[in-house]
């Protein structure tokens, strides 16, 4: 035994300084437990939107031009009417009847042309805008997915899958609603307002100024509505996210829900969350109704006042009748979109709230960042096939709790198998998660063949360090595909040979479609133990330099224990391995045993040394021996 575990001192006073502090500063990650929504940095939503639109600049410009032209065609209508009333009709009545008819026909044709042009331009605009929208949404959903995959385990511990789902469904959905309906309408409204006001000012400055003046109360109404509904909307989407989180949690844990008869309690909780969402929704509808009624009333009063004033001026010969008719038509058009503006602000509010949340998610940086200047690992050792692992003055605590591992040093020699044992909650899984770099240590460094894990490129790290856990997660796809995940280029023969080496070939061949059986469709037919065998095969095929097994044999049956031992030996050969197991028969095949207690390594030696001693492991071992005598079972699960 050349290496020993030294457990140094108690908990460190204050946060331990990492020797790695030269790296870029981490942005402070807010505590999600006192906020439902992770706050985005200022302007994150706007920056995100800009970055999404940037690649589509030419198309956006084309759409804008189409819109300008289309609105020009639409707003020419009342002008033509005014011209017909004030010029064509008098000419028709007067002595030049011939030219009057010509004028009227020309106006009619112009009107028809404008109508056709506006239709065609609108079609082109909708198509152009929809293309941009579709691509923006596609890109956004892709970004959320890629980002969620890239973020560390620590983030996922806190954020929950339900919230992630709600980001890429509800939130992307409300953005889609805005882009598909609201935004085009708003742009059309803005352009039409500018056209109309300018035309009115040109036709008759008095009417134009009166129309402008009527915007003051309307603008106040809109502003008031916007402020009130912003609050309601944010609340509504938070409430919706809570509903989705509850739903996914229940469905995800349906076995536990049914086993513990949680249905009624869940129903009540769900009804409460659903009710909260309903109330928020009701509040937003009320705001909407209040707005529509007051804005419409204001607009109608404005139209009536302006037309009345215009009529007096026509009577006083101060205003042409055609101009008044055109003004009345324009005013109608001016105020008509006010209702829609409310709708638009609605979808704008919810889309803005959604975008803010998506931007907040996308702004999260992994707490185990990729190195900016990765260091290559030296070539894998010839003799042992494994790599040396050193925990150098490492200490660790989860972000949400106390220190779990007080400072310790530990060297794992290349090619050897170490068993980690200890009571539940001792910190075994935590220690190996540092080795797999699911988390970075709070203090000290973890070295792989002398290279700090923080300096190792992510994909190289994953090739070198593989962890198999109790869950043995299977992805949708066939058994063969699931085994090949560790090495996608593996041939069918290699896959089968790996399974044979583990004694998994027989059960796989026995499946309805053998290696091509879809694990999701046959989910029920693949037992927990068989899943673990598949996970083993995956790890063996990946052939990592360092292999971690965290309770990876816990579901394998006792009668198969001999086979399991055999499979373990096969998997562990030619690499550095850390095995966490409650089953002491598994521990016996290790070169070295480490006993953990409350985050400290309290015993260290070969299995034989520890059994011969007086320590905890000796105690555990003799208890295990006794239980074997009592049950007459040659191999008894110690759990
Ligand atoms: N994600 C987490 N966030 C906060 N605390 C955690 C987290 N995971 C584990 N802990 C805490 O860290 C301590 C060590 O947990 P760990 O999972 O390492 O124990 P273990 O030795 O693997 O136990 P077991 O044998 O039950 O798997 C426990 O007190 C646990 O509550
Ligand atoms: Mg554990």
């Amino acid at each position: 035994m050349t290496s020993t575990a030294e457990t140094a001192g108690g908990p460190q006073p204050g946060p331990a300084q990492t020797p790695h502090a030269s790296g870029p500063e981490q942005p402070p990650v807010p505590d999600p437990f006192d906020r439902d929504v992770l706050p985005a940095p200022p302007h994150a939503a706007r920056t995100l939107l800009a970055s999404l639109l940037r690649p589509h600049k030419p198309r956006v410009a084309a759409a804008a031009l189409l819109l300008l032209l289309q609105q020009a065609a639409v707003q020419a209508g009342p002008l033509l009417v005014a011209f017909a009333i004030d010029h064509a009709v008098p000419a028709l009545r007067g002595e030049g009847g011939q030219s009057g008819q010509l004028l009227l026909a020309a106006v009619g044709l112009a009107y028809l042309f404008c109508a056709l042009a506006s239709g065609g331009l609108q079609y082109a605009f909708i198509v152009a805008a929809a293309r941009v929208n579709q691509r923006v949404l596609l890109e956004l959903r892709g970004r959320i997915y890629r980002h969620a995959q890239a973020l560390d385990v620590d983030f996922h511990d806190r954020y929950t899958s339900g919230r992630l789902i709600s980001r890429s469904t509800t939130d992307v959905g409300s953005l889609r609603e805005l882009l598909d309906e609201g935004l085009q309408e708003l742009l059309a409204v803005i352009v039409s307002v500018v056209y109309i006001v300018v035309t009115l000012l040109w036709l008759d400055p008095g009417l134009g100024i009166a129309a402008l003046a009527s915007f003051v109360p309307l603008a106040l109404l809109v502003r008031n509505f916007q402020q009130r509904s912003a609050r309601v909307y944010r609340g509504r989407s938070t409430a919706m996210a809570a509903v989705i989180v509850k739903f996914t949690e229940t469905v995800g844990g349906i076995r536990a829900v049914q086993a513990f008869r949680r249905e009624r309690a869940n129903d009540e909780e769900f009804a409460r969350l659903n009710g909260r969402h309903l109330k928020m929704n009701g509040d937003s509808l009320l705001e909407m109704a209040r707005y529509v009624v007051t804005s419409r009333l204001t607009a109608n009063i404005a139209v009536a006042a302006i037309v009345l004033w215009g009529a007096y001026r026509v009577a006083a010969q101060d205003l042409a009748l055609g101009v008044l008719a055109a003004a009345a038509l324009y005013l109608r058009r001016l105020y008509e979109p006010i209702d829609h503006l409310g709708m638009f602000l609605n979808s704008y509010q919810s889309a803005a709230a959604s975008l803010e949340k998506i931007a907040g998610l996308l702004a999260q940086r992994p707490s185990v960042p990729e190195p900016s200047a990765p260091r290559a690992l030296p070539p894998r050792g010839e003799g042992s096939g494994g790599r040396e692992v050193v925990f150098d003055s490492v200490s660790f605590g989860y972000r949400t709790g106390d220190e779990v591992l007080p400072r310790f040093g530990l060297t794992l020699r290349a090619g050897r198998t170490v068993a980690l044992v200890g009571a539940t909650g001792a910190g075994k899984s935590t220690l190996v998660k540092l080795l797999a770099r699911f988390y970075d240590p709070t203090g000290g460094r973890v070295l792989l063949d002398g290279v700090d894990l923080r300096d190792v490129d992510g994909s190289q790290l994953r090739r070198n360090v593989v962890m198999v856990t109790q869950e043995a997660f299977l992805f949708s796809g066939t058994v063969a595909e699931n085994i090949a995940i560790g090495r996608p280029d593996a041939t069918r023969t290699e896959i089968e040979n790996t399974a044979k080496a583990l004694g998994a070939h027989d059960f796989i061949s026995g499946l309805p479609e053998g290696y091509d059986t879809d694990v999701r469709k046959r989910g029920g037919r693949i037992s927990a133990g068989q899943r673990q065998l598949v996970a083993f095969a995956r790890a063996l095929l990946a052939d990592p330099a360092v292999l971690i097994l965290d309770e990876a044999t816990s579901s394998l049956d006792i009668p198969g224990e001999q086979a399991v031992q055999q499979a373990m030996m096969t998997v562990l050969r030619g690499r550095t391995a850390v095995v966490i197991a409650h089953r002491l028969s598994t521990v016996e095949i290790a070169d070295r045993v480490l006993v953990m207690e409350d985050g400290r390594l309290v015993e260290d030696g070969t299995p034989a040394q520890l059994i011969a001693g007086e320590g905890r492991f000796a105690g555990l071992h003799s208890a295990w021996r006794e239980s074997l005598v009592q049950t007459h079972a040659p191999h008894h699960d110690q759990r």
Side-chain angles (χ1 to χ4, degrees):
M1 188 100 319
T2 50
S3 52
T4 51
E6 38 154 313
T7 40
Q12 294 300 296
Q17 195 60 45
T18 54
H20 203 74
S22 55
E25 278 272 305
Q26 287 284 299
V29 179
D31 183 1
F33 291 109
D34 50 60
R35 291 197 60 147
D36 214 348
V37 179
L38 293 174
H43 309 307
R46 218 173 302 159
T47 319
L48 172 63
L49 199 59
S51 80
L52 287 169
L53 285 175
R54 204 167 298 129
H56 308 291
K57 256 186 194 161
R59 198 162 252 145
V60 170
L65 184 66
L66 286 169
L67 183 67
L68 286 174
L69 292 174
Q70 188 254 344
Q71 279 298 315
V74 170
Q75 304 307 346
L79 267 186
L80 290 170
V81 170
F83 184 80
I85 294 176
D86 291 341
H87 300 280
V89 172
L92 205 58
R93 281 204 198 123
E95 56 276 14
Q98 195 72 32
S99 71
Q101 265 171 1
L102 268 175
L103 264 182
L104 210 53
V107 169
L109 276 176
Y111 203 95
L112 188 67
F113 171 78
C114 283
L116 287 174
S118 125
L121 288 165
Q122 186 161 25
Y123 179 82
F125 169 73
I126 290 175
V127 170
R131 287 234 171 97
V132 175
N133 294 347
Q134 296 310 314
R135 290 190 190 164
V136 162
L137 293 171
L138 189 86
E139 163 68 15
L140 188 61
R141 206 170 262 142
R143 272 198 211 180
I144 295 174
Y145 185 78
R146 288 194 298 271
H147 198 73
Q149 272 206 123
L151 282 168
D152 50 283
V153 180
D154 178 40
F155 170 83
H156 289 281
D157 284 349
R158 295 174 294 130
Y159 203 77
T160 75
S161 57
R163 263 155 87 192
L164 278 175
I165 291 169
S166 126
R167 285 304 85 82
S168 75
T169 54
T170 320
D171 290 331
V172 172
S174 72
L175 211 58
R176 183 190 55 74
E177 221 164 86
L178 172 78
L179 291 175
D180 280 359
E181 291 150 28
L183 197 59
Q184 303 181 8
E185 207 157 292
L186 176 82
L187 292 175
V189 168
I190 292 174
V191 173
S192 74
V193 165
V194 172
Y195 273 130
I196 291 173
V197 169
V198 169
T199 314
L200 279 177
L201 281 169
W202 174 69
L203 280 176
D204 182 87
L207 286 178
I209 290 167
L212 272 178
S214 70
F215 281 160
V216 175
L218 284 171
L220 289 177
L221 276 176
V222 168
R223 203 180 133 72
N224 177 269
F225 171 73
Q226 189 175 8
Q227 281 168 350
R228 296 170 69 104
S229 64
R231 188 184 46 78
V232 177
Y233 267 95
R234 205 158 287 142
R236 194 179 74 161
S237 67
T238 312
M240 191 64 227
V243 169
I244 295 178
V245 168
K246 183 71 197 167
F247 202 101
T248 49
E249 188 187 281
T250 304
V251 177
I254 190 68
R255 286 181 188 82
V257 167
Q258 294 182 348
F260 291 96
R261 294 270 157 269
R262 289 284 301 164
E263 293 93 335
R264 187 190 295 260
N266 276 346
D267 279 349
E268 282 164 14
E269 171 74 359
F270 191 76
R272 192 182 64 77
L273 293 172
N274 221 1
R276 188 161 68 122
H277 176 246
L278 186 74
K279 181 178 175 314
M280 292 287 179
N281 218 7
D283 285 357
S284 73
L285 287 175
L286 271 184
E287 289 294 341
M288 184 71 199
R290 206 173 290 149
Y291 166 77
V292 168
V293 169
T294 46
S295 69
R296 209 173 273 178
L297 191 66
T298 312
N300 283 338
I301 292 172
V303 172
I306 294 172
V307 170
L308 195 65
W309 177 56
Y312 273 113
R313 287 179 53 198
V314 170
Q317 307 261 307
D318 181 29
L319 188 69
L321 183 62
V323 172
L324 179 61
L329 286 173
Y330 276 132
L331 286 174
R332 266 188 57 99
R333 288 187 180 188
L334 195 59
Y335 299 129
E336 203 173 25
I338 296 281
D339 286 3
H340 297 264
L341 195 62
M343 298 267 196
F344 168 78
L345 283 176
N346 260 351
S347 58
Y348 173 81
Q349 298 292 3
S350 75
S354 291
L355 195 65
E356 204 178 292
K357 281 192 255 171
I358 293 174
L361 169 64
L362 293 179
Q364 296 299 310
R365 291 287 147 249
S367 60
V368 284
E370 279 283 302
S372 46
R375 275 183 62 192
L377 290 170
R380 203 164 147 180
E382 286 284 309
S384 69
R387 291 187 186 276
E388 186 191 63
V389 174
V390 175
F391 288 82
D392 176 20
S393 305
V394 166
S395 59
F396 179 75
Y398 290 98
R399 199 191 297 272
T400 48
D402 300 332
E403 189 165 67
V404 175
L405 303 177
R407 197 164 82 145
F408 71 100
L410 173 66
T411 301
L412 306 178
R413 285 179 59 201
R416 299 295 174 87
T417 297
V418 172
L420 202 54
V421 298
T424 188
K428 306 179 295 291
S429 296
T430 306
L431 189 146
V432 293
K433 280 190 232 163
L434 294 179
L435 173 51
R437 206 183 174 217
F438 286 155
Y439 303 87
D440 278 335
T442 336
R445 318 176 284 166
V446 182
L447 304 167
L448 190 61
D449 267 356
V451 182
D452 191 326
L453 288 187
R454 281 174 286 216
D455 293 332
V456 182
D457 166 71
S459 58
Q460 197 181 19
L461 182 65
R462 294 292 156 237
R463 266 201 310 282
N464 275 278
V465 183
V466 164
M467 179 153 150
V468 183
T469 61
Q470 193 169 11
E471 292 105 51
F473 188 83
L474 296 189
F475 297 90
S476 48
T478 65
V479 173
E481 282 164 357
N482 263 287
I483 295 177
I485 279 171
R487 196 147 63 81
D489 58 346
T491 63
R492 177 54 66 93
T493 323
E494 286 173 312
I495 293 174
E496 288 187 13
N497 285 343
T498 309
K500 277 180 191 149
L502 290 176
H505 180 72
D506 288 346
F507 108 77
I508 297 174
S509 311
L511 291 170
E513 287 153 74
Y515 282 83
D516 295 317
T517 307
D518 189 310
V519 295
R520 276 291 141 91
K521 283 195 205 123
R522 310 275 170 192
R525 295 205 191 175
I526 296 185
S527 73
Q530 291 167 337
R531 274 214 310 274
Q532 285 195 335
L533 281 179
V534 172
F536 261 121
R538 184 190 288 165
L540 183 59
L541 189 65
D543 185 29
V546 178
L547 179 67
I548 302 162
L549 303 178
D550 189 351
E551 317 254 329
T553 55
S554 55
S555 297
L556 298 182
D557 51 349
I558 306 297
E561 178 129 15
Q562 211 57 51
V564 173
Q565 291 307 79
Q566 213 51 51
M568 286 279 283
M569 306 277 232
T570 313
V571 171
L572 301 177
R573 198 172 304 133
R575 62 192 94 251
T576 311
V578 182
V579 180
I580 301 176
H582 286 282
R583 206 180 281 182
L584 290 189
S585 56
T586 314
V587 172
E588 280 180 331
I589 63 173
D591 301 304
R592 178 185 179 190
V593 180
L594 292 167
V595 182
M596 253 187 131
E597 205 174 88
D598 287 338
R600 286 164 211 279
L601 298 168
V602 292
E603 278 176 44
D604 180 5
T606 62
Q609 279 171 347
L610 293 189
I611 290 166
E614 306 261 279
R616 309 210 116 246
F617 187 74
L620 279 176
H621 195 267
S622 61
W624 174 60
R625 281 275 165 220
E626 271 164 37
S627 74
L628 289 189
V629 174
Q630 274 160 18
T631 58
H632 303 288
H635 293 286
H636 187 70
D637 191 342
Q638 188 61 25
R639 294 177 79 184

